Amino acid sequence: MELKSLPKKILLAALMLLVGSTLAYSQDVGIGEANPNSKLDIVQTGATGNTVEVNHTTTTNASSAVFVVNAGTGRAVNAVNFNTASNIPTGQFQQQGTGATAYGVEVDMDVNSTAAGVIVFQDGTNDGVISAVSGTGYGMYVQNTGTGGGVYNDINGTGTLGTVNDISVNGGTGSYSFFNGQAGNAFEFDSIGTQGFGVFGIVNTTVPTGGGLVYGAGIGLVQQGVGHGILINHLGATGRNAEFNINNTNNADAAVFSIHSGPGPALLAQNVDNTIAGTIAAVDVGYYGTDIADHVGLQAYSAPAANWGYGIVGQGSWYGVYAVGNMGCSGVKTFLIDHPADPANQMLRHFSTESDEVLNMYRGMIQLDGNGEAIVELPDYFPLVNKNFSYQLTPVGTPVQPYVAQEIQGKTFKVAGAPNTKVSWMVLAERNDPYLQQHPELRTAEVVKNGERSGKYLMPELYNVDPKQGNFYHGNTASTKSMQGSQLIRPTTSQDRAQFQRDIKLQRAAAEPSK
């Protein structure tokens, strides 16, 4: 009877006996190998079949099916696949157990060891580690009960910006990562290169050409505690703390969009530098394009109800609001104060007087002398900022009408009338400071609407026309467009993660019907 026709168990037992007895007397044993180079050298020459098969069939046996001990300096197990055309992994572990700790691979490091538990050297162009999960578990679960990091990635390769990544994550609609219940960091990303990113995320690597809603975020965070959702500290001498760019010129959405469902501000900006030379703007916004239209540098809106809400409130020890250049409004210009007679319950409004001229006004009272004359003194700067004067005189205590005996010369003029009487005087003058001298067009009262202004209205609602015909309408402001996002509904521990992701997409779709 040939040896190969024996049952596998008998063959294996015979093999082990042969090996055990032979090793005591011989240096090398070969099976299918005439010149063995190991204690036991087995070569599979058949077209099919395993080279070595070990079966551990007793379910109550807690020992290992194969136990390898190496007391030397080499590896305990070394597996190499020399078939360069093969697509089969060098090693495969199938775990059919269903227990909570039935791991596919377990690596136990000595408590005094300083080496890594698992290290992967990838000299090719493919991935070092791939985790493919088709069930409900995690692709990779890392739990660290010590003082070190959960995952540490160190990339020393070279490449162009964005092509060498410490961690590259491609997720579907239900991708989540939950880490860290202690005081340390869930993730720590260090980029020590001059052009690299600590975190680099891409959603939809190919620009969608259309067909329904497409949502996603390069980075998505849900903070259910009392800390910050995102905290960025910049310690460098130069460089922005954060930069947001929309590079598609057809995208009309905001580069930064913020919603606050509580009583705090949606945006809060502060500058606390006490050593600034010159002036600083705590918030600096502006339109820097070249399109010729009435673009708005800063637009604010608040109208919770009729006659309620302030679009902008400015407070300063010098000026609360200051315009470098011209200032205008479509409504009335007022001062508003607490009513002195009832400050807790009433307000007092006074209104500016409008004119089709740019005017300065000066007024006062004078006492005529025994000859019925008096000289009116105007401010020293009067001749520097005024021209084209007009006068108004009112007698006090007499019906005799006073008159201008000598017009303004420099900063004075003479009034004559009934001797020893009072005269109330007022001078109106056309403003003529250097600003008006260099911008004489500002004196024009009637302005023709041309270019982008043609056919537009400052306040279209007053003329019962479509709000889209307003000068300042662009469909992406708080006053003309509904909110683009929504507050995320925080999931409970039993809520399905995929359903949570779908809920977010539905909320976004409801908030943006125009898409």
Side-chain angles (χ1 to χ4, degrees), residues 126-214:
N126 210 328
D127 303 302
V129 176
I130 297 177
S131 175
V133 176
S134 59
T136 60
Y138 299 102
M140 180 180 294
Y141 179 84
V142 179
Q143 182 181 40
N144 183 5
T145 59
T147 59
V151 176
Y152 180 82
N153 291 275
D154 186 7
I155 298 296
N156 294 314
T158 60
T160 57
L161 184 66
T163 61
V164 178
N165 306 311
D166 274 8
I167 297 179
S168 179
V169 179
N170 297 316
T173 58
S175 298
Y176 285 84
S177 294
F178 295 99
F179 287 86
N180 191 21
Q182 304 300 318
N185 300 321
F187 291 94
E188 180 173 338
F189 299 97
D190 298 321
S191 177
I192 60 176
T194 58
Q195 290 185 314
F197 297 96
V199 177
F200 184 78
I202 298 178
V203 175
N204 292 327
T205 55
T206 302
V207 178
T209 58
L213 300 172
V214 178

Side-chain angles (χ1 to χ4, degrees), residues 342-362:
D342 189 6
N345 301 302
Q346 296 188 60
M347 292 182 288
L348 181 64
R349 291 192 296 184
H350 277 191
F351 305 91
S352 300
T353 300
E354 313 295 347
S355 173
D356 61 350
E357 296 180 281
V358 186
L359 300 176
N360 292 324
M361 182 184 71
Y362 305 86

Side-chain angles (χ1 to χ4, degrees), residues 327-343:
M327 178 180 289
C329 77
S330 298
V332 296
K333 297 185 287 292
T334 68
F335 81 73
L336 180 68
I337 62 173
D338 296 318
H339 199 300
D342 189 6

